[in-house]
């Protein structure tokens, strides 16, 4: 069933006006008028009738509904005389082309998910247990008079500007009626293809111990591991170690590395997760220093200039409760309240899909607050955004990337939607424009939150993960979206950048999960919590296992959006709106029951242990085992060279010849 919603005459749609203005600003000529219809494709539900559909999908004062119930329907639902399907739409005579944009298979559809939930809450019966709703945006445009070629070019340019081909597909019908024959054009579909190709079954192995340097580096490139030669060499040494081979034999594993292990190592060792550049050993040369002075060795910018400074300031203070130990810092606000704050970047995804990248960034940092201590409540968002100059010429944009103006529009929209739709206001922000951000924007998202000082008799910044606790995943299901997001963030962007690295956040699902978790926190139903951020379960459960001393993850028990994910994809997928908990066994039934009553999915996916390893299973088979010490501490330290050159500024045009260079910056400061 196809449901379309549009504004009535006399109720202007501000969205359509803004889009038309953007088209004109982008230099797209020939579009005189534009109307935007919201489309919902209901598949597997019974027909509740127009009154229920209006109640679910419409603002009945300002909007009107049009329903197509079968493929051969040629009339509006109100029962007007038979006509072609396009003329059946409200105000169809005003437009002569249609562009409809929908998500590609496998891409998260937050609006469709919310619509499905609305139908369920309205009591609409499911004819199929896997019933779903797809959303789409339909643009009806009126073209200026001109030659068919001019009009065709205008439609093509409009379609290109109104969708992101990385994650969306556009269906174009133009003209709406064949001028040479009185025939209706093809109707738009009642359902878009939404299934995605299944990954190859089974677990692949790699004999890293026998690979040459060239073979290791090729494997890193081909699988998008983003690991440096020294890091791949460390993996080779680990799998060649007799102790590793013996432990694997006892676990029922071959000596070779499995794809599940390889992907977990790449995620854990990614720049996004380990901040390798900030941790690097830097040989620092100062061109202004005496030649006799030896280069300075900086053992990590973070450790030397950030952590050390913070620790020195913190000496003797009791208002800093948690610094560098959790998803966000925790400080005392007053006797009853702690506050926490977290900020992080989401640059690469925002370059590929500005809206999806930004909304995922903001809801992700919201989850960092929710995963701090026993669980804090996010109360505000902030941001700093850096883009290329808005007057950048099209030919200066790297192949496969978007113009800074389009990136700006999408990022701003994503940040606003990500916060406002889940009830978290954006209270501050800043924007910078510079040519250096044309290739990749900087999208800095921040969130602040509140914690009661004590929860169930213990300070709220303390959490527990102990052997015997059950590993529970709550929130959204796992899909292919967001696979390799962590490793991909270490790479430069180009036309080959992967579709799977882009995620779409769903603020409504996250809000439901947030409310449930805060209620469960106050009832003491879980002991530890963290975010499923970059790397999904690999990241969250791998980090929590450091507290208990080990974890077993049952990958076949994880809830999926659709079948066909390989075990390694289940482990590292970054699909959004998920948190991981450590739960005492005698409380898990109450936790799962509370989650179900709040329309949140909660699933036991493993158990924390004291084995000293991450043990990965699929069905009754072991598919991976990694020593915790190697996983978290085996990464070779990156080595870099840095050189300080005092900047020299040329004299301004027309200045006296005697004017010298600008004063040098402090040469003692690091680059």
């Amino acid at each position: 069933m196809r449901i379309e919603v549009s504004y009535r005459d006399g109720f202007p749609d501000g969205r359509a006006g803004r889009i038309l203005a953007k088209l004109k600003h982008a230099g797209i000529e020939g579009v005189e008028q534009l109307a935007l219809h919201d489309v919902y494709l209901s598949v597997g539900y019974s027909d509740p009738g127009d009154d229920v559909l209006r109640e679910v999908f419409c603002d009945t004062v300002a909007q009107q509904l049009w329903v197509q119930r079968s493929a051969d329907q040629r009339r509006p639902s109100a029962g007007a005389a038979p006509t072609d399907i396009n003329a059946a739409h409200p105000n169809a005579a005003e437009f002569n082309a249609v562009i409809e944009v929908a998500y590609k298979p496998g891409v998260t559809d937050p609006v469709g998910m919310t619509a499905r939930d609305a139908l369920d809450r309205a009591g609409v019966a499911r004819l199929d247990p896997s019933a779903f709703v797809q959303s789409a945006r339909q643009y009806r445009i009126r073209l200026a008079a001109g030659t068919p070629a001019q009009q065709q070019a205008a439609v093509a340019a409009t379609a290109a500007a109104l969708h992101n081909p990385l994650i969306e597909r556009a269906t174009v019908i133009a003209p709406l009626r064949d001028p040479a024959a009185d025939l209706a054009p093809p109707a738009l579909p009642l359902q878009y293809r939404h299934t995605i190709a299944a990954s190859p079954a089974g677990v692949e192995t790699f004999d890293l111990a026998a690979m040459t340097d060239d073979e290791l580096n090729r494997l890193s490139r081909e699988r998008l591991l983003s690991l440096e030669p020294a890091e791949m060499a460390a993996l080779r040494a680990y799998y060649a170690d007799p102790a590793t081979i013996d432990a694997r034999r006892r676990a029922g594993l071959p000596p070779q590395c499995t794809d599940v292990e390889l992907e977990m190592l790449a995620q854990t060792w990614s720049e996004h997760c380990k901040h390798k550049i900030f941790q690097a050993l830097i040989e620092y040369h100062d061109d202004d220093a005496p030649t006799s002075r030896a280069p300075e060795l900086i053992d990590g910018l973070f450790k030397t200039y950030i952590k050390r400074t913070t620790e020195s300031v913190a000496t003797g203070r009791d208002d800093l409760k948690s610094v560098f130990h959790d998803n966000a810092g925790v400080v005392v606000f007053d006797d009853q309240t702690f506050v926490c704050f977290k900020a992080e970047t989401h640059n690469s995804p925002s370059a590929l899909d500005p809206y999806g990248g930004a909304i995922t960034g903001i809801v992700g940092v919201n989850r960092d607050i929710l995963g701090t201590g026993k669980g804090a409540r996010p109360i505000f968002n902030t941001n700093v955004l850096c883009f290329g100059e808005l007057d950048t010429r099209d030919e200066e944009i790297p192949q496969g990337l978007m113009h800074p103006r389009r990136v700006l529009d999408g990022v701003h929209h994503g940040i606003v939607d990500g916060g406002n739709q889940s009830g978290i206001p954006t209270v501050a922000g800043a924007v910078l424009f510079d040519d250096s951000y044309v290739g990749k924007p900087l999208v800095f998202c921040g969130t602040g939150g509140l914690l009661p000082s004590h929860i169930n008799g213990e300070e709220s910044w303390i959490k527990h993960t102990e052997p015997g606790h059950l590993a529970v995943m709550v929130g959204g299901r796992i899909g292919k979206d967001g696979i390799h997001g962590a490793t991909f963030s270490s790479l430069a962007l180009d036309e080959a950048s992967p579709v799977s690295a882009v995620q779409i956040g769903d603020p409504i699902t996250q809000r439901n999960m947030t409310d449930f978790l805060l209620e469960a926190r106050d009832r003491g139903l879980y002991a530890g919590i963290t975010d499923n951020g970059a790397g999904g379960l690999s990241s969250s459960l791998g980090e929590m296992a450091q507290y208990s001393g080990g974890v077993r993850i049952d990958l076949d028990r994880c809830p999926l959006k659709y079948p066909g994910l390989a075990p390694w994809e289940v482990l590292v997928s970054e699909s959004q709106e998920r948190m991981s908990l450590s739960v005492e066994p005698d409380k898990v039934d109450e936790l799962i029951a509370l989650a179900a009553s709040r329309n949140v999915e909660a699933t036991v996916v493993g158990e924390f242990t004291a084995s000293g390893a991450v043990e990965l299973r699929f069905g009754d088979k072991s598919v991976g085992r990694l020593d915790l010490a190697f996983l978290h501490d085996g990464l070779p330290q990156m080595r870099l060279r840095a050189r300080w050159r005092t900047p020299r500024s040329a004299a301004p045009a027309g200045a006296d010849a005697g004017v010298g260079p600008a004063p040098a910056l402090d040469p003692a400061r690091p680059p």
Side-chain angles (χ1 to χ4, degrees), residues 319-379:
D319 59 336
L320 303 182
K321 294 297 181 179
S322 177
V323 182
F324 305 130
H325 300 298
D326 206 339
N327 292 303
V330 180
V331 300
V332 174
F333 182 73
D334 57 30
D335 292 342
Q336 290 79 40
T337 310
F338 296 159
V339 296
C340 49
F341 187 80
K342 172 67 177 290
E344 69 177 29
T345 59
H346 226 239
N347 307 334
S348 296
S350 299
L352 295 179
D353 174 29
Y355 177 81
I359 196 172
T360 301
I362 200 67
V363 298
V365 79
N366 291 166
R367 289 196 306 276
D368 282 323
I369 296 299
L370 185 60
T372 297
K374 288 178 167 51
R377 178 185 296 278
I379 62 168

Side-chain angles (χ1 to χ4, degrees), residues 564-593:
L565 270 69
W568 73 265
E569 292 176 314
V570 176
L571 180 64
V572 304
S573 169
E574 298 174 23
S575 293
Q576 296 293 289
E577 294 76 54
R578 292 186 291 142
M579 304 289 289
S580 289
L581 310 176
S582 57
V583 182
E584 297 171 51
D586 61 348
K587 295 181 178 179
V588 72
D589 290 341
E590 185 179 353
L591 177 89
I592 291 175

Side-chain angles (χ1 to χ4, degrees), residues 642-665:
R643 182 174 296 277
W644 172 261
R645 295 186 178 94
T646 302
R648 305 292 179 183
S649 301
D656 294 338
V659 176
L665 299 179

Side-chain angles (χ1 to χ4, degrees), residues 183-194:
L183 297 175
L188 289 162
L190 294 176
Q191 173 186 342
Y192 286 102
R193 186 175 69 85
H194 71 289

